[in-house]
């Protein structure tokens, strides 16, 4: 109701028609993970396994190779941004690798746990001068250690996202970065605390409006999803897909009650 229709959109659908959006600027959602709060919705099935695979591809594999994403994790939703060599260009995982972003983060938090400079930023202007598919949407994470009054040390994390195609990926982006927070916390021996998602622009594509109205007319399923990590693993780089699960999310029931919907992508 408060959204704004764009006038000259950059993205287009596969048939060449401009992909207009209804959007809203600036907002946030914050979750206390110690109280079981979660961004996962049940109005349609969420591809949590694929979301986790994409996260590992970017930050653990530090890759921009679409064949690695497909063969290792079964994810193909990046294929439309192939720049012609089964790569998405000098962005995302390649930025992580080139600037050693994860290694610098972990080393910095170990050496200066109370510091306020612990961030990973995928928005590197020099990278954009090279061929690339899509500039990072979820582009910056910031980490703070909090010494709780209960004597427990917590890891709080925020995610900054410049653009969120919410009907298709808003929930997916938040969920995968929840996993990222849990993995970093495990590596550092901390408890995941608060997760906050800031968005600059959140949008619904014009061809998604009917599906959004369908979802708004559905009834959700009461559940309390949680991130489970293999208790025998600690090192960030040792975790595999089998070591990470979202438990308490009844995906089969969601699929039966609120079937999946198809969304045209604006590229």
């Amino acid at each position: 109701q408060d959204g704004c229709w764009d006038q000259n959109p950059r993205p287009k659908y596969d048939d060449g028609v401009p992909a207009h959006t209804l959007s809203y600027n600036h907002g946030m959602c914050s979750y206390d993970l110690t109280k079981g709060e979660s961004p996962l919705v049940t109005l349609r099935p969420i591809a949590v396994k694929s979301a986790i695979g994409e996260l590992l591809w970017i930050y653990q594999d530090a890759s921009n190779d679409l064949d690695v994403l497909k063969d290792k994790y079964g994810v193909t939703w990046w294929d439309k941004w192939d720049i012609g060599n089964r790569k998405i260009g000098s962005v995302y995982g390649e930025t992580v690798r080139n600037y050693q972003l994860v290694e610098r983060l972990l080393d910095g938090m170990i050496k200066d746990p109370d510091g306020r400079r612990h961030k990973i930023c995928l928005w590197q202007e020099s990278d954009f001068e090279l061929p690339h598919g899509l500039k990072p949407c979820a582009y910056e994470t910031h980490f703070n250690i909090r010494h709780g009054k209960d004597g427990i040390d917590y890891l709080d994390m925020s995610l900054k996202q410049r653009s969120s195609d919410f009907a298709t990926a808003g929930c997916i982006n938040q969920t995968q970065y929840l996993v990222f927070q849990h993995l970093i916390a495990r590596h550092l021996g901390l408890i995941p605390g608060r997760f906050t998602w800031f968005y600059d622009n959140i949008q619904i594509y014009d061809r998604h409006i009917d599906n959004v109205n369908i979802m708004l007319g559905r009834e959700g399923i009461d559940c309390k999803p949680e991130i489970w990590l293999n208790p025998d693993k600690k090192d960030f780089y040792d975790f595999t897909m089998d070591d990470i699960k979202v438990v308490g999310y009844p995906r089969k029931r969601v699929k039966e009650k609120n079937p999946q919907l198809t969304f045209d992508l604006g590229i």
Side-chain angles (χ1 to χ4, degrees):
Q1 292 176 341
D2 296 327
C4 167
W5 283 104
D6 59 11
Q7 297 178 0
N8 300 294
R10 176 197 57 78
K12 290 181 172 57
Y13 296 113
D14 279 343
D15 57 11
V17 174
H20 286 276
T21 58
L22 180 67
S23 67
Y24 189 85
N25 293 335
H26 300 171
M28 61 170 283
C29 301
S30 195
Y31 310 89
D32 187 340
L33 306 183
T34 67
K35 295 180 179 178
E37 296 175 359
S38 169
L40 268 170
V41 298
T42 58
L43 301 180
R44 72 176 182 92
I46 301 300
V48 292
K49 187 174 181 180
S50 296
I52 295 170
E54 182 189 61
L55 177 92
L56 295 179
W57 176 63
I58 295 172
Y59 291 102
Q60 192 186 73
D61 299 319
S63 175
N64 67 345
D65 189 320
L66 294 171
D67 287 332
V68 172
L69 183 62
K70 177 183 178 181
D71 298 340
K72 191 172 182 179
Y73 303 110
V75 177
T76 59
W77 58 42
W78 274 99
D79 284 4
K80 291 182 180 294
W81 284 274
D82 183 354
I83 63 173
N85 56 358
R86 294 299 292 163
K87 302 286 194 305
I88 59 170
S90 302
V91 287
Y92 285 96
E94 187 163 306
T95 299
V96 171
R97 181 174 69 251
N98 288 343
Y99 296 94
Q100 298 181 302
L101 294 180
V102 174
E103 292 90 339
R104 290 176 182 271
L105 172 76
L106 296 173
D107 184 61
M109 297 198 74
I110 290 171
K111 291 179 178 177
D112 182 19
D114 291 324
R116 294 182 289 271
R117 302 175 179 180
H118 304 309
K119 65 170 68 257
I120 285 180
C121 184
L122 301 181
W123 196 271
Q124 303 290 339
E125 291 289 343
S126 59
D127 291 350
F128 304 152
E129 296 175 2
L130 302 171
H132 60 278
L134 179 67
K135 290 179 172 61
C137 295
Y139 71 91
E140 183 175 285
T141 46
H142 191 93
F143 301 80
N144 293 95
I145 294 175
R146 170 168 49 91
H147 308 297
K149 294 181 179 180
D150 54 7
I152 298 175
D153 289 339
Y154 296 96
L155 179 67
D156 297 331
M157 189 190 88
S158 66
L159 168 66
K160 188 78 179 292
Q161 189 156 349
R162 66 166 179 86
S163 173
S164 175
D165 174 4
F166 191 76
T168 62
C171 181
I172 287 175
N173 290 142
Q174 292 183 73
T175 301
Q176 63 189 170
Y177 277 87
L178 270 183
V179 171
F180 193 34
Q181 180 177 358
H182 277 72
L183 291 172
I184 298 298
R186 174 64 65 82
H187 187 97
L188 298 172
L190 303 169
I191 300 298
R194 178 164 291 280
F195 170 73
T196 302
W197 178 58
F198 297 97
Y199 59 83
D200 296 321
N201 180 272
I202 189 171
Q203 70 273 167
I204 300 172
Y205 280 82
D206 52 359
R207 291 187 180 179
H208 299 175
I209 297 293
D210 289 344
N211 279 348
V212 168
N213 283 323
I214 289 173
M215 285 194 288
L216 290 174
R218 289 173 168 179
E219 182 179 345
I221 296 175
D222 186 33
C223 61
K224 284 196 173 294
E226 295 181 354
I227 307 298
W228 176 91
L229 301 181
N230 183 341
D232 297 326
K233 297 284 184 72
K234 178 180 177 180
D235 191 292
F236 175 80
Y237 292 100
D238 287 343
F239 284 90
T240 68
M241 285 288 290
D242 293 335
D243 298 315
I244 309 167
K245 293 182 173 61
V246 177
V247 298
Y249 180 68
R251 194 173 190 278
K252 183 178 180 181
R253 285 177 55 206
V254 173
K255 186 176 181 180
E256 292 171 350
K257 183 176 181 180
N258 297 321
Q260 190 59 278
L261 300 165
T262 301
F263 297 87
D264 288 350
L265 289 178
I267 306 300

